[in-house]
Amino acid sequence: MLEITSDFRSGTFRAVYTVKFPRAIYVLHVFQKKSKRGIATPKAEIDLVKRRLAQVVKLEADEEESQ
């Protein structure tokens, strides 16, 4: 997984995506970082990315089986 961060007038934005799969690049989550303390990504955001990555892994496996 890779993460892009971008600072904008209203805050910092992050996009988390994966390029692990040859047929698509999946954007797993995009969010605005609101915490003023530290640079760590909140656990709830990380958990959401992990759930979505698991869904993508299953989707890709199902797609491969059907071919």
Side-chain angles (χ1 to χ4, degrees):
M1 288 186 298
L2 301 167
E3 179 179 82
I4 296 174
T5 61
S6 178
D7 291 324
F8 193 66
R9 285 178 266 173
S10 61
T12 299
F13 295 83
R14 293 183 177 183
V16 180
Y17 64 98
T18 182
V19 292
K20 181 178 179 178
F21 305 102
R23 73 181 188 113
I25 295 173
Y26 293 93
V27 177
L28 301 173
H29 188 39
V30 177
F31 61 98
Q32 182 178 11
K33 184 171 183 316
K34 295 182 180 180
S35 174
K36 301 293 184 204
R37 298 177 303 177
I39 60 171
T41 302
K43 184 179 180 331
E45 305 291 355
I46 292 171
D47 291 345
L48 179 59
V49 168
K50 287 179 180 179
R51 284 194 309 273
R52 289 181 176 168
L53 180 59
Q55 290 173 335
V56 167
V57 168
K58 183 177 180 335
L59 175 72
E60 286 288 324
D62 291 349
E63 187 67 30
E64 191 173 299
E65 286 177 10
S66 69
Q67 292 181 357

Short mmCIF file of all heavy atoms in Angstrom, two decimals:
data_model
loop_
_atom_site.label_atom_id
_atom_site.label_comp_id
_atom_site.label_asym_id
_atom_site.label_seq_id
_atom_site.Cartn_x
_atom_site.Cartn_y
_atom_site.Cartn_z
N MET A 1 0.84 -1.17 0.00
CA MET A 1 0.00 0.00 0.00
C MET A 1 0.89 1.23 0.00
O MET A 1 1.95 1.24 0.60
CB MET A 1 -0.92 0.02 1.21
CG MET A 1 -2.02 -0.98 1.14
SD MET A 1 -3.21 -0.84 2.49
CE MET A 1 -2.19 -1.14 3.89
N LEU A 2 0.40 2.23 -0.64
CA LEU A 2 1.10 3.50 -0.71
C LEU A 2 0.19 4.60 -0.20
O LEU A 2 -1.03 4.48 -0.26
CB LEU A 2 1.53 3.78 -2.15
CG LEU A 2 2.44 2.71 -2.77
CD1 LEU A 2 2.54 2.92 -4.26
CD2 LEU A 2 3.80 2.76 -2.14
N GLU A 3 0.79 5.68 0.24
CA GLU A 3 0.01 6.79 0.76
C GLU A 3 0.54 8.09 0.15
O GLU A 3 1.74 8.29 0.05
CB GLU A 3 0.14 6.84 2.28
CG GLU A 3 -0.62 7.99 2.90
CD GLU A 3 -0.49 7.98 4.41
OE1 GLU A 3 0.53 8.48 4.91
OE2 GLU A 3 -1.43 7.49 5.06
N ILE A 4 -0.38 8.92 -0.27
CA ILE A 4 -0.04 10.26 -0.77
C ILE A 4 -0.61 11.25 0.23
O ILE A 4 -1.76 11.12 0.66
CB ILE A 4 -0.68 10.52 -2.14
CG1 ILE A 4 -0.13 9.56 -3.19
CG2 ILE A 4 -0.45 11.96 -2.58
CD1 ILE A 4 -0.82 9.66 -4.52
N THR A 5 0.17 12.25 0.59
CA THR A 5 -0.34 13.32 1.45
C THR A 5 -0.26 14.63 0.69
O THR A 5 0.65 14.84 -0.12
CB THR A 5 0.44 13.44 2.76
OG1 THR A 5 1.79 13.73 2.47
CG2 THR A 5 0.35 12.18 3.58
N SER A 6 -1.22 15.48 0.94
CA SER A 6 -1.25 16.79 0.29
C SER A 6 -1.76 17.83 1.28
O SER A 6 -2.81 17.65 1.89
CB SER A 6 -2.17 16.73 -0.93
OG SER A 6 -2.25 18.00 -1.54
N ASP A 7 -1.00 18.89 1.43
CA ASP A 7 -1.43 19.98 2.30
C ASP A 7 -2.22 20.98 1.47
O ASP A 7 -1.86 21.31 0.33
CB ASP A 7 -0.22 20.69 2.92
CG ASP A 7 0.49 19.80 3.94
OD1 ASP A 7 -0.21 19.05 4.64
OD2 ASP A 7 1.72 19.86 4.00
N PHE A 8 -3.31 21.44 2.05
CA PHE A 8 -4.18 22.42 1.40
C PHE A 8 -4.57 23.44 2.45
O PHE A 8 -4.33 23.23 3.64
CB PHE A 8 -5.41 21.70 0.81
CG PHE A 8 -6.21 22.55 -0.14
CD1 PHE A 8 -5.67 22.94 -1.35
CD2 PHE A 8 -7.48 22.95 0.19
CE1 PHE A 8 -6.41 23.72 -2.22
CE2 PHE A 8 -8.22 23.73 -0.67
CZ PHE A 8 -7.69 24.11 -1.89
N ARG A 9 -5.17 24.51 2.03
CA ARG A 9 -5.54 25.57 2.98
C ARG A 9 -6.34 25.07 4.17
O ARG A 9 -6.14 25.51 5.29
CB ARG A 9 -6.34 26.67 2.27
CG ARG A 9 -5.49 27.56 1.41
CD ARG A 9 -6.34 28.55 0.72
NE ARG A 9 -6.64 27.95 -0.58
CZ ARG A 9 -7.47 28.42 -1.45
NH1 ARG A 9 -8.16 29.51 -1.20
NH2 ARG A 9 -7.66 27.84 -2.61
N SER A 10 -7.24 24.13 3.93
CA SER A 10 -8.11 23.66 5.01
C SER A 10 -7.56 22.44 5.75
O SER A 10 -8.24 21.88 6.58
CB SER A 10 -9.49 23.35 4.45
OG SER A 10 -9.40 22.33 3.48
N GLY A 11 -6.33 22.02 5.45
CA GLY A 11 -5.76 20.90 6.19
C GLY A 11 -4.95 19.97 5.32
O GLY A 11 -4.67 20.25 4.16
N THR A 12 -4.60 18.83 5.89
CA THR A 12 -3.83 17.81 5.20
C THR A 12 -4.76 16.69 4.76
O THR A 12 -5.59 16.24 5.53
CB THR A 12 -2.73 17.25 6.12
OG1 THR A 12 -1.86 18.32 6.48
CG2 THR A 12 -1.92 16.17 5.43
N PHE A 13 -4.59 16.24 3.53
CA PHE A 13 -5.40 15.16 2.98
C PHE A 13 -4.49 13.99 2.67
O PHE A 13 -3.35 14.17 2.25
CB PHE A 13 -6.14 15.61 1.72
CG PHE A 13 -7.15 16.68 2.00
CD1 PHE A 13 -6.78 18.00 2.08
CD2 PHE A 13 -8.47 16.34 2.20
CE1 PHE A 13 -7.72 19.00 2.35
CE2 PHE A 13 -9.42 17.32 2.48
CZ PHE A 13 -9.03 18.65 2.56
N ARG A 14 -5.02 12.78 2.86
CA ARG A 14 -4.26 11.57 2.57
C ARG A 14 -5.09 10.65 1.69
O ARG A 14 -6.30 10.51 1.88
CB ARG A 14 -3.90 10.84 3.86
CG ARG A 14 -2.93 11.62 4.71
CD ARG A 14 -2.53 10.87 5.92
NE ARG A 14 -1.52 11.65 6.65
CZ ARG A 14 -0.92 11.26 7.73
NH1 ARG A 14 -1.18 10.09 8.23
NH2 ARG A 14 -0.03 12.03 8.32
N ALA A 15 -4.41 10.01 0.77
CA ALA A 15 -5.03 8.98 -0.07
C ALA A 15 -4.20 7.72 0.08
O ALA A 15 -2.98 7.76 -0.02
CB ALA A 15 -5.06 9.42 -1.53
N VAL A 16 -4.87 6.61 0.34
CA VAL A 16 -4.19 5.33 0.49
C VAL A 16 -4.65 4.44 -0.66
O VAL A 16 -5.84 4.30 -0.90
CB VAL A 16 -4.54 4.67 1.85
CG1 VAL A 16 -3.81 3.34 1.99
CG2 VAL A 16 -4.19 5.61 3.00
N TYR A 17 -3.67 3.87 -1.36
CA TYR A 17 -4.03 3.04 -2.51
C TYR A 17 -3.07 1.87 -2.62
O TYR A 17 -2.05 1.81 -1.95
CB TYR A 17 -4.03 3.88 -3.79
CG TYR A 17 -2.68 4.44 -4.16
CD1 TYR A 17 -1.89 3.80 -5.11
CD2 TYR A 17 -2.18 5.59 -3.56
CE1 TYR A 17 -0.65 4.31 -5.44
CE2 TYR A 17 -0.94 6.10 -3.90
CZ TYR A 17 -0.18 5.45 -4.85
OH TYR A 17 1.05 5.94 -5.18
N THR A 18 -3.43 0.94 -3.50
CA THR A 18 -2.57 -0.22 -3.74
C THR A 18 -2.35 -0.42 -5.23
O THR A 18 -3.25 -0.18 -6.03
CB THR A 18 -3.16 -1.50 -3.11
OG1 THR A 18 -2.25 -2.57 -3.34
CG2 THR A 18 -4.51 -1.86 -3.67
N VAL A 19 -1.16 -0.84 -5.59
CA VAL A 19 -0.84 -1.16 -6.98
C VAL A 19 -0.44 -2.62 -7.10
O VAL A 19 0.21 -3.03 -8.04
CB VAL A 19 0.28 -0.24 -7.54
CG1 VAL A 19 -0.19 1.17 -7.67
CG2 VAL A 19 1.53 -0.33 -6.69
N LYS A 20 -0.87 -3.40 -6.16
CA LYS A 20 -0.50 -4.81 -6.09
C LYS A 20 -1.13 -5.63 -7.22
O LYS A 20 -0.63 -6.68 -7.59
CB LYS A 20 -0.95 -5.36 -4.73
CG LYS A 20 -0.62 -6.80 -4.50
CD LYS A 20 -1.07 -7.21 -3.10
CE LYS A 20 -0.79 -8.67 -2.84
NZ LYS A 20 -1.16 -9.07 -1.49
N PHE A 21 -2.22 -5.17 -7.76
CA PHE A 21 -2.98 -5.96 -8.71
C PHE A 21 -2.78 -5.43 -10.13
O PHE A 21 -2.84 -4.22 -10.36
CB PHE A 21 -4.47 -5.93 -8.32
CG PHE A 21 -4.68 -6.39 -6.91
CD1 PHE A 21 -4.91 -5.48 -5.89
CD2 PHE A 21 -4.61 -7.74 -6.59
CE1 PHE A 21 -5.07 -5.90 -4.59
CE2 PHE A 21 -4.78 -8.17 -5.28
CZ PHE A 21 -5.01 -7.25 -4.28
N PRO A 22 -2.56 -6.34 -11.08
CA PRO A 22 -2.22 -5.90 -12.44
C PRO A 22 -3.37 -5.26 -13.22
O PRO A 22 -3.12 -4.48 -14.13
CB PRO A 22 -1.75 -7.18 -13.11
CG PRO A 22 -2.34 -8.30 -12.33
CD PRO A 22 -2.50 -7.78 -10.93
N ARG A 23 -4.61 -5.55 -12.87
CA ARG A 23 -5.70 -5.03 -13.71
C ARG A 23 -6.26 -3.68 -13.24
O ARG A 23 -7.01 -3.05 -13.97
CB ARG A 23 -6.82 -6.05 -13.86
CG ARG A 23 -7.68 -6.25 -12.66
CD ARG A 23 -8.75 -7.31 -12.92
NE ARG A 23 -9.65 -7.30 -11.79
CZ ARG A 23 -10.91 -6.91 -11.85
NH1 ARG A 23 -11.43 -6.54 -12.98
NH2 ARG A 23 -11.66 -6.92 -10.77
N ALA A 24 -5.88 -3.25 -12.04
CA ALA A 24 -6.44 -1.98 -11.54
C ALA A 24 -5.60 -1.43 -10.40
O ALA A 24 -4.90 -2.17 -9.72
CB ALA A 24 -7.87 -2.20 -11.05
N ILE A 25 -5.69 -0.14 -10.22
CA ILE A 25 -5.17 0.52 -9.03
C ILE A 25 -6.38 0.85 -8.17
O ILE A 25 -7.30 1.52 -8.62
CB ILE A 25 -4.39 1.80 -9.38
CG1 ILE A 25 -3.15 1.43 -10.18
CG2 ILE A 25 -4.03 2.57 -8.11
CD1 ILE A 25 -2.40 2.62 -10.72
N TYR A 26 -6.40 0.35 -6.97
CA TYR A 26 -7.53 0.56 -6.08
C TYR A 26 -7.22 1.66 -5.07
O TYR A 26 -6.23 1.58 -4.35
CB TYR A 26 -7.87 -0.72 -5.31
CG TYR A 26 -8.38 -1.83 -6.20
CD1 TYR A 26 -7.52 -2.78 -6.73
CD2 TYR A 26 -9.73 -1.91 -6.50
CE1 TYR A 26 -8.00 -3.79 -7.54
CE2 TYR A 26 -10.22 -2.92 -7.31
CZ TYR A 26 -9.35 -3.85 -7.83
OH TYR A 26 -9.83 -4.86 -8.63
N VAL A 27 -8.06 2.68 -5.05
CA VAL A 27 -7.97 3.70 -4.02
C VAL A 27 -8.77 3.16 -2.85
O VAL A 27 -9.98 2.99 -2.93
CB VAL A 27 -8.52 5.06 -4.50
CG1 VAL A 27 -8.48 6.08 -3.38
CG2 VAL A 27 -7.74 5.55 -5.72
N LEU A 28 -8.09 2.88 -1.76
CA LEU A 28 -8.74 2.24 -0.63
C LEU A 28 -9.41 3.23 0.30
O LEU A 28 -10.42 2.91 0.93
CB LEU A 28 -7.71 1.41 0.16
CG LEU A 28 -7.01 0.32 -0.66
CD1 LEU A 28 -5.90 -0.31 0.16
CD2 LEU A 28 -8.00 -0.72 -1.14
N HIS A 29 -8.86 4.44 0.40
CA HIS A 29 -9.45 5.42 1.31
C HIS A 29 -8.81 6.78 1.07
O HIS A 29 -7.61 6.86 0.82
CB HIS A 29 -9.22 4.98 2.75
CG HIS A 29 -9.94 5.79 3.79
ND1 HIS A 29 -11.22 6.27 3.64
CD2 HIS A 29 -9.55 6.19 5.03
CE1 HIS A 29 -11.58 6.93 4.73
NE2 HIS A 29 -10.58 6.89 5.59
N VAL A 30 -9.60 7.81 1.13
CA VAL A 30 -9.12 9.19 1.07
C VAL A 30 -9.77 9.93 2.23
O VAL A 30 -10.97 9.81 2.44
CB VAL A 30 -9.49 9.87 -0.27
CG1 VAL A 30 -9.04 11.32 -0.29
CG2 VAL A 30 -8.88 9.11 -1.44
N PHE A 31 -8.96 10.67 2.98
CA PHE A 31 -9.52 11.35 4.14
C PHE A 31 -8.70 12.58 4.47
O PHE A 31 -7.56 12.72 4.04
CB PHE A 31 -9.59 10.41 5.35
CG PHE A 31 -8.26 9.88 5.80
CD1 PHE A 31 -7.58 10.47 6.85
CD2 PHE A 31 -7.67 8.80 5.16
CE1 PHE A 31 -6.35 9.98 7.27
CE2 PHE A 31 -6.44 8.30 5.57
CZ PHE A 31 -5.78 8.90 6.62
N GLN A 32 -9.31 13.45 5.25
CA GLN A 32 -8.63 14.64 5.74
C GLN A 32 -8.11 14.35 7.14
O GLN A 32 -8.85 13.91 8.01
CB GLN A 32 -9.57 15.84 5.78
CG GLN A 32 -8.88 17.10 6.25
CD GLN A 32 -9.78 18.31 6.25
OE1 GLN A 32 -10.99 18.20 6.09
NE2 GLN A 32 -9.21 19.46 6.41
N LYS A 33 -6.84 14.57 7.32
CA LYS A 33 -6.24 14.40 8.65
C LYS A 33 -6.56 15.63 9.46
O LYS A 33 -6.18 16.73 9.10
CB LYS A 33 -4.74 14.19 8.56
CG LYS A 33 -4.13 13.92 9.91
CD LYS A 33 -2.69 13.51 9.79
CE LYS A 33 -2.08 13.15 11.11
NZ LYS A 33 -2.36 14.01 12.21
N LYS A 34 -7.26 15.45 10.56
CA LYS A 34 -7.72 16.59 11.35
C LYS A 34 -6.92 16.80 12.62
O LYS A 34 -6.98 17.86 13.21
CB LYS A 34 -9.20 16.40 11.70
CG LYS A 34 -10.07 16.43 10.46
CD LYS A 34 -11.52 16.29 10.82
CE LYS A 34 -12.36 16.32 9.56
NZ LYS A 34 -13.76 16.19 9.83
N SER A 35 -6.16 15.81 13.04
CA SER A 35 -5.41 15.92 14.27
C SER A 35 -4.31 16.97 14.15
O SER A 35 -3.60 17.03 13.16
CB SER A 35 -4.77 14.58 14.63
OG SER A 35 -3.92 14.73 15.75
N LYS A 36 -4.19 17.77 15.15
CA LYS A 36 -3.13 18.78 15.18
C LYS A 36 -1.87 18.23 15.85
O LYS A 36 -0.83 18.86 15.81
CB LYS A 36 -3.60 20.03 15.95
CG LYS A 36 -4.83 20.67 15.36
CD LYS A 36 -4.55 21.26 14.01
CE LYS A 36 -5.79 21.99 13.52
NZ LYS A 36 -5.86 22.12 12.11
N ARG A 37 -2.00 17.07 16.49
CA ARG A 37 -0.87 16.48 17.21
C ARG A 37 -0.34 15.28 16.44
O ARG A 37 -1.08 14.37 16.11
CB ARG A 37 -1.29 16.03 18.59
CG ARG A 37 -1.77 17.16 19.46
CD ARG A 37 -2.24 16.65 20.77
NE ARG A 37 -3.31 15.66 20.53
CZ ARG A 37 -3.91 14.98 21.45
NH1 ARG A 37 -3.57 15.11 22.68
NH2 ARG A 37 -4.85 14.13 21.16
N GLY A 38 0.94 15.28 16.18
CA GLY A 38 1.59 14.13 15.58
C GLY A 38 1.23 13.91 14.13
O GLY A 38 0.36 14.57 13.58
N ILE A 39 1.92 12.96 13.52
CA ILE A 39 1.67 12.67 12.11
C ILE A 39 1.04 11.30 11.92
O ILE A 39 0.77 10.90 10.81
CB ILE A 39 2.98 12.76 11.29
CG1 ILE A 39 4.01 11.77 11.80
CG2 ILE A 39 3.53 14.16 11.30
CD1 ILE A 39 5.24 11.63 10.92
N ALA A 40 0.82 10.59 13.01
CA ALA A 40 0.29 9.23 12.92
C ALA A 40 -1.13 9.23 12.36
O ALA A 40 -1.94 10.11 12.67
CB ALA A 40 0.31 8.56 14.28
N THR A 41 -1.42 8.24 11.55
CA THR A 41 -2.76 8.05 11.02
C THR A 41 -3.62 7.40 12.11
O THR A 41 -3.19 6.42 12.72
CB THR A 41 -2.72 7.14 9.78
OG1 THR A 41 -1.86 7.75 8.80
CG2 THR A 41 -4.10 6.95 9.18
N PRO A 42 -4.82 7.93 12.36
CA PRO A 42 -5.68 7.35 13.40
C PRO A 42 -5.98 5.87 13.14
O PRO A 42 -6.14 5.43 11.99
CB PRO A 42 -6.96 8.19 13.31
CG PRO A 42 -6.52 9.47 12.69
CD PRO A 42 -5.42 9.11 11.74
N LYS A 43 -6.08 5.10 14.21
CA LYS A 43 -6.32 3.66 14.12
C LYS A 43 -7.60 3.34 13.35
O LYS A 43 -7.63 2.39 12.56
CB LYS A 43 -6.38 3.05 15.52
CG LYS A 43 -6.53 1.53 15.49
CD LYS A 43 -6.56 0.95 16.87
CE LYS A 43 -6.71 -0.54 16.93
NZ LYS A 43 -7.41 -1.22 15.90
N ALA A 44 -8.65 4.11 13.54
CA ALA A 44 -9.91 3.85 12.82
C ALA A 44 -9.70 3.95 11.31
O ALA A 44 -10.28 3.16 10.55
CB ALA A 44 -10.98 4.84 13.27
N GLU A 45 -8.89 4.88 10.87
CA GLU A 45 -8.61 5.03 9.43
C GLU A 45 -7.80 3.84 8.93
O GLU A 45 -8.06 3.30 7.86
CB GLU A 45 -7.85 6.33 9.16
CG GLU A 45 -8.51 7.59 9.67
CD GLU A 45 -9.78 7.98 8.95
OE1 GLU A 45 -10.16 7.35 7.94
OE2 GLU A 45 -10.42 8.95 9.38
N ILE A 46 -6.82 3.40 9.70
CA ILE A 46 -6.00 2.26 9.33
C ILE A 46 -6.85 0.99 9.26
O ILE A 46 -6.73 0.20 8.32
CB ILE A 46 -4.83 2.08 10.31
CG1 ILE A 46 -3.85 3.25 10.17
CG2 ILE A 46 -4.12 0.74 10.09
CD1 ILE A 46 -2.78 3.31 11.23
N ASP A 47 -7.73 0.81 10.23
CA ASP A 47 -8.61 -0.36 10.23
C ASP A 47 -9.51 -0.38 9.01
O ASP A 47 -9.74 -1.44 8.41
CB ASP A 47 -9.45 -0.41 11.51
CG ASP A 47 -8.62 -0.70 12.75
OD1 ASP A 47 -7.46 -1.16 12.61
OD2 ASP A 47 -9.12 -0.45 13.86
N LEU A 48 -10.03 0.78 8.61
CA LEU A 48 -10.88 0.86 7.42
C LEU A 48 -10.09 0.48 6.17
O LEU A 48 -10.58 -0.28 5.33
CB LEU A 48 -11.45 2.28 7.28
CG LEU A 48 -12.33 2.53 6.06
CD1 LEU A 48 -13.54 1.60 6.06
CD2 LEU A 48 -12.77 3.98 6.03
N VAL A 49 -8.87 0.96 6.05
CA VAL A 49 -8.02 0.61 4.91
C VAL A 49 -7.78 -0.90 4.88
O VAL A 49 -7.87 -1.53 3.81
CB VAL A 49 -6.69 1.39 4.96
CG1 VAL A 49 -5.70 0.83 3.96
CG2 VAL A 49 -6.92 2.87 4.71
N LYS A 50 -7.51 -1.50 6.02
CA LYS A 50 -7.27 -2.94 6.08
C LYS A 50 -8.50 -3.73 5.64
O LYS A 50 -8.39 -4.73 4.91
CB LYS A 50 -6.85 -3.36 7.49
CG LYS A 50 -5.45 -2.94 7.84
CD LYS A 50 -5.09 -3.34 9.26
CE LYS A 50 -3.68 -2.93 9.62
NZ LYS A 50 -3.33 -3.31 11.00
N ARG A 51 -9.69 -3.30 6.08
CA ARG A 51 -10.93 -3.98 5.68
C ARG A 51 -11.13 -3.86 4.17
O ARG A 51 -11.49 -4.84 3.50
CB ARG A 51 -12.14 -3.40 6.41
CG ARG A 51 -12.24 -3.85 7.85
CD ARG A 51 -13.60 -3.54 8.47
NE ARG A 51 -14.05 -2.17 8.32
CZ ARG A 51 -13.76 -1.17 9.15
NH1 ARG A 51 -12.99 -1.40 10.21
NH2 ARG A 51 -14.22 0.04 8.95
N ARG A 52 -10.91 -2.68 3.64
CA ARG A 52 -11.09 -2.49 2.20
C ARG A 52 -10.06 -3.27 1.39
O ARG A 52 -10.38 -3.80 0.32
CB ARG A 52 -11.06 -1.00 1.87
CG ARG A 52 -12.30 -0.31 2.37
CD ARG A 52 -12.31 1.15 2.03
NE ARG A 52 -13.57 1.76 2.45
CZ ARG A 52 -13.77 3.06 2.49
NH1 ARG A 52 -12.80 3.90 2.12
NH2 ARG A 52 -14.92 3.54 2.88
N LEU A 53 -8.83 -3.34 1.87
CA LEU A 53 -7.82 -4.13 1.18
C LEU A 53 -8.23 -5.60 1.16
O LEU A 53 -8.09 -6.28 0.13
CB LEU A 53 -6.45 -3.96 1.83
CG LEU A 53 -5.32 -4.75 1.19
CD1 LEU A 53 -5.15 -4.37 -0.29
CD2 LEU A 53 -4.03 -4.53 1.96
N ALA A 54 -8.75 -6.11 2.26
CA ALA A 54 -9.21 -7.50 2.31
C ALA A 54 -10.34 -7.73 1.29
O ALA A 54 -10.38 -8.78 0.63
CB ALA A 54 -9.69 -7.86 3.71
N GLN A 55 -11.23 -6.75 1.14
CA GLN A 55 -12.30 -6.86 0.15
C GLN A 55 -11.72 -6.91 -1.27
O GLN A 55 -12.19 -7.68 -2.11
CB GLN A 55 -13.26 -5.68 0.27
CG GLN A 55 -14.09 -5.70 1.52
CD GLN A 55 -14.91 -4.42 1.70
OE1 GLN A 55 -14.56 -3.36 1.18
NE2 GLN A 55 -15.99 -4.52 2.45
N VAL A 56 -10.72 -6.10 -1.54
CA VAL A 56 -10.10 -6.08 -2.86
C VAL A 56 -9.39 -7.41 -3.14
O VAL A 56 -9.49 -7.95 -4.24
CB VAL A 56 -9.12 -4.89 -3.00
CG1 VAL A 56 -8.24 -5.02 -4.22
CG2 VAL A 56 -9.88 -3.58 -3.03
N VAL A 57 -8.69 -7.94 -2.14
CA VAL A 57 -8.01 -9.23 -2.31
C VAL A 57 -9.03 -10.30 -2.68
O VAL A 57 -8.82 -11.10 -3.60
CB VAL A 57 -7.22 -9.60 -1.03
CG1 VAL A 57 -6.75 -11.05 -1.07
CG2 VAL A 57 -6.04 -8.65 -0.85
N LYS A 58 -10.17 -10.32 -1.99
CA LYS A 58 -11.22 -11.29 -2.28
C LYS A 58 -11.80 -11.06 -3.67
O LYS A 58 -11.99 -12.01 -4.43
CB LYS A 58 -12.32 -11.23 -1.23
CG LYS A 58 -13.40 -12.27 -1.45
CD LYS A 58 -14.46 -12.25 -0.39
CE LYS A 58 -15.54 -13.27 -0.55
NZ LYS A 58 -15.84 -13.77 -1.86
N LEU A 59 -12.07 -9.82 -4.02
CA LEU A 59 -12.60 -9.49 -5.33
C LEU A 59 -11.66 -9.98 -6.44
O LEU A 59 -12.09 -10.60 -7.42
CB LEU A 59 -12.81 -7.98 -5.46
CG LEU A 59 -13.26 -7.45 -6.81
CD1 LEU A 59 -14.71 -7.82 -7.07
CD2 LEU A 59 -13.07 -5.95 -6.87
N GLU A 60 -10.38 -9.71 -6.29
CA GLU A 60 -9.40 -10.14 -7.28
C GLU A 60 -9.31 -11.65 -7.36
O GLU A 60 -9.21 -12.22 -8.45
CB GLU A 60 -8.04 -9.53 -6.96
CG GLU A 60 -7.94 -8.06 -7.28
CD GLU A 60 -7.89 -7.77 -8.77
OE1 GLU A 60 -7.28 -8.55 -9.52
OE2 GLU A 60 -8.47 -6.75 -9.17
N ALA A 61 -9.35 -12.34 -6.22
CA ALA A 61 -9.29 -13.80 -6.21
C ALA A 61 -10.53 -14.39 -6.90
O ALA A 61 -10.42 -15.32 -7.70
CB ALA A 61 -9.17 -14.33 -4.79
N ASP A 62 -11.69 -13.84 -6.61
CA ASP A 62 -12.93 -14.30 -7.24
C ASP A 62 -12.88 -14.06 -8.74
O ASP A 62 -13.31 -14.92 -9.53
CB ASP A 62 -14.14 -13.59 -6.64
CG ASP A 62 -14.43 -13.99 -5.21
OD1 ASP A 62 -13.82 -14.98 -4.73
OD2 ASP A 62 -15.24 -13.30 -4.55
N GLU A 63 -12.36 -12.93 -9.15
CA GLU A 63 -12.27 -12.59 -10.58
C GLU A 63 -11.31 -13.55 -11.28
O GLU A 63 -11.59 -14.01 -12.38
CB GLU A 63 -11.78 -11.15 -10.73
CG GLU A 63 -11.81 -10.62 -12.13
CD GLU A 63 -13.21 -10.45 -12.70
OE1 GLU A 63 -14.13 -10.19 -11.92
OE2 GLU A 63 -13.35 -10.56 -13.93
N GLU A 64 -10.22 -13.87 -10.63
CA GLU A 64 -9.23 -14.79 -11.22
C GLU A 64 -9.82 -16.19 -11.37
O GLU A 64 -9.58 -16.86 -12.37
CB GLU A 64 -7.97 -14.83 -10.34
CG GLU A 64 -6.82 -15.54 -11.00
CD GLU A 64 -5.56 -15.39 -10.18
OE1 GLU A 64 -5.11 -14.26 -9.97
OE2 GLU A 64 -5.04 -16.46 -9.77
N GLU A 65 -10.59 -16.62 -10.37
CA GLU A 65 -11.22 -17.95 -10.44
C GLU A 65 -12.23 -18.04 -11.56
O GLU A 65 -12.39 -19.10 -12.16
CB GLU A 65 -11.90 -18.27 -9.11
CG GLU A 65 -10.95 -18.61 -7.99
CD GLU A 65 -11.68 -18.84 -6.67
OE1 GLU A 65 -12.93 -18.91 -6.66
OE2 GLU A 65 -11.00 -18.95 -5.65
N SER A 66 -12.92 -16.95 -11.85
CA SER A 66 -13.98 -16.99 -12.87
C SER A 66 -13.43 -16.95 -14.29
O SER A 66 -14.15 -17.17 -15.24
CB SER A 66 -14.97 -15.84 -12.65
OG SER A 66 -14.35 -14.60 -12.95
N GLN A 67 -12.14 -16.71 -14.44
CA GLN A 67 -11.57 -16.64 -15.80
C GLN A 67 -11.10 -17.96 -16.28
O GLN A 67 -10.76 -18.88 -15.91
CB GLN A 67 -10.42 -15.63 -15.84
CG GLN A 67 -10.93 -14.23 -15.66
CD GLN A 67 -9.78 -13.22 -15.73
OE1 GLN A 67 -8.61 -13.53 -15.85
NE2 GLN A 67 -10.14 -11.96 -15.61
#
